[in-house]
């Protein structure tokens, strides 16, 4: 039988979501005494038959697919389906859903349900869930854990979420360098299963100090009597808990890693980082960056209550309102010029819009670079020089094209020349502030992406209007 492709799985998931929506809409209609077409469907039938059928289908899904289903449903329907998820799977599903949806699910869980969900998770997974638990609940979770797991959880939670320490787990296989490959293979055969993403074993001495790694393929292709120390990789990539997660993600990409050791300041092996944790971090960071650029302070559940969505979107809309008023005031300064030459009113949005695009392109490049490394003074000077040169060339080229179009429309060489100059100057302004905004925010200890799109749009709008109308007033009127 052929395996299902990702497209097939997505189609099945979409079909299930539609089935859920249809079934629950029937249930609501029955609860109200009818449904479209006045065909009554007893609620008891729906509850015993249709919902049980849905529960069986959901039980067969991967936790990530269950999360996708929950995220795709309005809140009332989401909570109905959440009740159909087996309690033993609550923990893994909570880890897969977005933070905003997780909040809505935890809100309807009682203390025992939360503790049961927590008990099914590994230590590193608990650390991911901990920030979303109700106040005071974390202490109950700590109390329910074995002593060793409590210490591991405290260790992971002591690191910021953007560090390697927050990504690492403790589920790994170690072996000593003074044993043979045959001994290591016998050890592996006695295990019920290997930890996920095990592509290598970590070699330590008797005191737990890290010595190197040995890949599974190396175990298989070498003589069983060979010592591990003779074929292990001693200069393997390793991390410290305090290292930046972004640096770790970069290393995973550069060296095609599946897993990597985490060691403390004396090279004692304390855990490992795996590719799944790195991919999750990259995805979450990318989502946060996109949200920050448009001024959203947090991820938003698409079916969140109106009040919460309004509160999430309000701060930078207020900033945008102020900047829009400033832009309007700039236009007002040149009201007389616009009345004398109507073409100015038609052309000025083009100058502002193209400048905004240049600014956003520059900011995106700078924010991405800042995410991977700290820029020194020399780097910053080079970036200013490069972006201003790019802006100048683009300004002359695209400004020239717009100048030709403008002349074809209005047969006015003066307006065309002003258009070229205004576009070029606004491009230069957009490039300058596109570099400046994220760098200044970084120096202030702020997220360089937060609201950057809003700020650069305000600058290019107001600046574009002022440059274009100012030049027109000076040279045409």
């Amino acid at each position: 039988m052929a395996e299902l492709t990702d497209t097939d799985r997505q189609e099945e998931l979409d079909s299930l979501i539609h089935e859920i929506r249809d079934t629950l809409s029937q249930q609501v209609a029955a609860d109200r005494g009818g449904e479209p077409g006045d065909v009554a469907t007893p609620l008891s039938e729906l509850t015993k038959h249709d919902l049980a059928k849905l529960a069986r289908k959901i039980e067969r899904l991967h936790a990530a697919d269950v999360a996708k289903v929950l995220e795709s449903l309005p809140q009332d329907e989401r909570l109905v389906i959440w009740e159909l998820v087996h309690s033993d799977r609550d923990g893994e599903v909570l880890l897969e859903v977005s933070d905003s949806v997780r909040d809505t699910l935890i809100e309807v869980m009682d203390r025992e349900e939360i503790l049961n969900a927590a008990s099914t998770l590994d230590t590193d997974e608990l650390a991911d869930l901990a920030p979303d638990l109700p106040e005071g609940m974390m202490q109950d979770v700590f109390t329910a854990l074995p002593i060793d797991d409590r210490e591991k959880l405290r260790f992971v939670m002591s690191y910021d979420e953007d560090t390697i320490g927050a990504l690492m787990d403790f589920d790994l296989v170690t072996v000593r360098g003074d044993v043979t490959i045959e001994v290591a293979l016998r050890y592996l055969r006695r295990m019920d299963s290997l930890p996920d993403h095990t592509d290598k074993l970590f070699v330590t001495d008797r005191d737990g100090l890290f010595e190197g790694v040995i890949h599974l393929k190396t175990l298989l292709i070498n003589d069983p009597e060979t010592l591990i120390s003779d074929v292990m990789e001693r200069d393997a990539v390793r991390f410290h808990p305090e290292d930046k997660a972004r640096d770790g993600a970069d290393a995973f990409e550069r060296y095609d890693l599946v897993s990597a050791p985490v060691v403390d300041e004396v090279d004692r092996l304390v855990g490992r980082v795996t590719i799944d944790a790195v991919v999750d971090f990259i995805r979450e960071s990318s989502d946060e960056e996109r949200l920050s650029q448009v001024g959203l302070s947090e991820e938003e559940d698409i079916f969140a209550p109106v009040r919460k969505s309004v509160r999430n979107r309000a701060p930078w809309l207020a900033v945008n309102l102020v900047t829009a008023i400033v832009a309007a005031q700039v236009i007002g300064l040149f009201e007389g010029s616009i009345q004398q030459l109507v073409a100015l009113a038609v052309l000025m949005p083009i100058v502002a819009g193209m400048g905004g695009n240049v600014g956003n392109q520059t900011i995106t490049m700078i924010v991405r670079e800042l995410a991977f490394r700290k820029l020194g003074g020399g780097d910053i000077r080079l970036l200013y020089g490069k972006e201003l040169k790019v802006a100048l060339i683009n300004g002359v080229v695209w400004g020239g094209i717009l100048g030709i179009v403008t002349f074809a429309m209005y047969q006015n060489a003066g307006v065309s020349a002003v258009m070229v100059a205004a576009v070029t100057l606004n491009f230069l302004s957009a490039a300058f502030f596109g570099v400046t905004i994220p760098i200044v925010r970084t120096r202030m200890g702020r997220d360089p992406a937060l609201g950057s799109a809003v700020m650069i749009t305000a600058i290019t709008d107001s600046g574009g209007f002022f440059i274009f109308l100012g030049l027109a007033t000076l040279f045409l009127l």
Side-chain angles (χ1 to χ4, degrees), residues 290-351:
R290 286 197 298 269
L291 292 170
S292 294
Q293 286 184 347
V294 294
L296 292 177
S297 59
E298 61 184 29
E299 183 181 21
E300 184 177 306
D301 175 9
I302 192 173
F303 296 113
V306 172
R307 180 182 301 177
K308 185 174 182 179
S309 295
V310 169
R311 186 171 62 249
N312 186 34
R313 303 181 194 187
W316 285 96
L317 286 177
V319 173
N320 190 235
L321 172 62
V322 174
T323 59
I325 293 173
V326 171
Q329 291 298 314
V330 170
I331 296 173
L333 294 174
F334 300 95
E335 183 177 355
S337 301
I338 296 173
Q339 288 176 347
Q340 293 182 54
L341 192 56
V342 178
L344 300 180
V346 178
L347 297 173
M348 65 182 184
I350 300 176
V351 178

Side-chain angles (χ1 to χ4, degrees), residues 8 23 33 70 88 94 136 145 161 208 327 358 362 367 369 406 421 443 449:
D8 294 332
T23 299
L70 293 171
D88 289 344
L94 285 174
L145 290 174
E161 62 181 10
V358 170
T362 304
V367 168
E369 192 64 23
T406 300
R443 294 283 175 87

